[in-house]
Structures are given as structure tokens and as C-alpha cells.
Amino acid sequence: MKQYFFSILLVLSAMTVSAQTHRADSLNERLFNAKVREMVYRLRITDEQKPKFITIYRRYNEEMIAAWGEHQRPTRPTTTDEAAALQRHRMERQQRAQAIRLRYIDEFAKVLEAQQLNRFFDVENEIQKKLKARRNHSQGRNHSQGRRHHH
């Protein structure tokens, strides 16, 4: 009986993880497609450039996500050692991201024109800032909703 219960629990856990992974993949794909639309519009990428650009941009995007790692809630260090470790971690992530940007300049240069390439990283940064602001706004809203008192 224990084995049966454990087996059911294991299957349900696997199904939950699978559903969460699928939901995250779906969200990441929708987010990527929105970023592509914004890039195509703001950089005036032509129909001819678009397939090659998307292929390179997808690889770039995946590497950047891996470099930044999982999004973590901001922590408030209480000791100097914690603050130093947090700053070191942030700078290491920035360093990994910068190395990826440097590697991809030549890749994007094969597809984009000079003016498009000059604007690419600025547009990318603006998109990331918008996403971060939205995420912070929604987290703040969720956080404040969690503290409401019902009478």
C-alpha cells in the first residue's frame, strides 16, 4: 500500500513539474516573440533579414538568460561580507553577459546593416528595462496584495 501511494505521489509530482516547465517554456516563447517583434519594428529589420536575425537572436537570448541565471528576489544584506558577496555575484553576471554581447557582435554584423547594429544593443537594453520594470511592478502589486487584511 505504501509503495502504491508513493508511486501515485511520484507520478503527480512529475506531472506538476512537467506542467510548470511547459508553462514556463510557453511564457519564455511568448516573451521571446514579443522581443523579436519589438526588435524588427524598432530596427526596421527587413523580411529578408528576419529569418537569419531570429536564428541568431534566439541563441543570443538563450545564452543571456543562462548568463543572468534565475531571477531572484532582491536581498538586503545585513553584513559587509553579505554585501560584498552580493556585489561580486552581480558583477560576475554582468561580466558573463558582456562576454556574450562581445561574441555576438560579429554574428549580428553578418545580418544587420551598420545603423541597425549600432542601435541593436541600445534597443535590447531598453526592452530589458521595460521587462524589469513590469516584473518589479507586478511583484510589488502581488506583495502588497498578500498583506491586505480582510474585515
Side-chain angles (χ1 to χ4, degrees):
M1 184 70 170
K2 277 185 185 178
Q3 285 181 319
Y4 177 75
F5 179 73
F6 182 73
S7 297
I8 296 287
L9 191 60
L10 192 61
V11 168
L12 288 175
S13 296
M15 288 171 58
T16 302
V17 168
S18 176
Q20 288 171 344
T21 302
H22 178 70
R23 198 167 31 246
D25 288 346
S26 175
L27 177 63
N28 286 340
E29 188 62 24
R30 287 196 320 263
L31 187 58
F32 175 76
N33 289 333
K35 288 169 66 174
V36 166
R37 284 191 301 273
E38 183 80 6
M39 283 289 191
V40 167
Y41 173 75
R42 302 231 356 235
L43 297 177
R44 293 183 170 89
I45 292 174
T46 65
D47 288 342
E48 185 179 305
Q49 292 172 305
K50 194 174 173 181
K52 293 176 186 170
F53 172 79
I54 290 172
T55 300
I56 296 167
Y57 190 57
R58 182 175 300 280
R59 285 194 327 262
Y60 168 84
N61 191 63
E62 288 170 0
E63 286 190 42
M64 290 298 281
I65 289 169
W68 285 109
E70 289 294 315
H71 177 70
Q72 300 166 348
R73 291 190 169 215
T75 57
R76 303 222 186 279
T78 56
T79 68
T80 304
D81 287 343
E82 289 174 358
L86 179 64
Q87 291 304 314
R88 192 173 295 107
H89 179 70
R90 284 181 183 163
M91 289 180 187
E92 287 167 352
R93 288 173 23 168
Q94 290 171 348
Q95 196 172 35
R96 287 191 304 264
Q98 191 65 11
I100 292 166
R101 287 183 194 105
L102 285 167
R103 267 198 344 268
Y104 272 86
I105 289 173
D106 292 334
E107 289 285 320
F108 285 117
K110 293 174 185 173
V111 176
L112 301 176
E113 296 171 5
Q115 184 180 9
Q116 293 169 319
L117 185 60
N118 283 335
R119 294 201 54 230
F120 172 80
F121 291 107
D122 291 336
V123 172
E124 171 74 9
N125 286 336
E126 290 169 18
I127 291 170
Q128 293 304 333
K129 283 180 185 176
K130 281 183 193 176
L131 292 172
K132 185 177 181 179
R134 279 189 183 161
R135 184 171 51 235
N136 289 342
H137 177 73
S138 69
Q139 283 179 349
R141 189 175 62 226
N142 291 342
H143 186 67
S144 65
Q145 288 174 348
R147 289 194 283 161
R148 283 189 188 155
H149 297 285
H150 297 285
H151 295 284

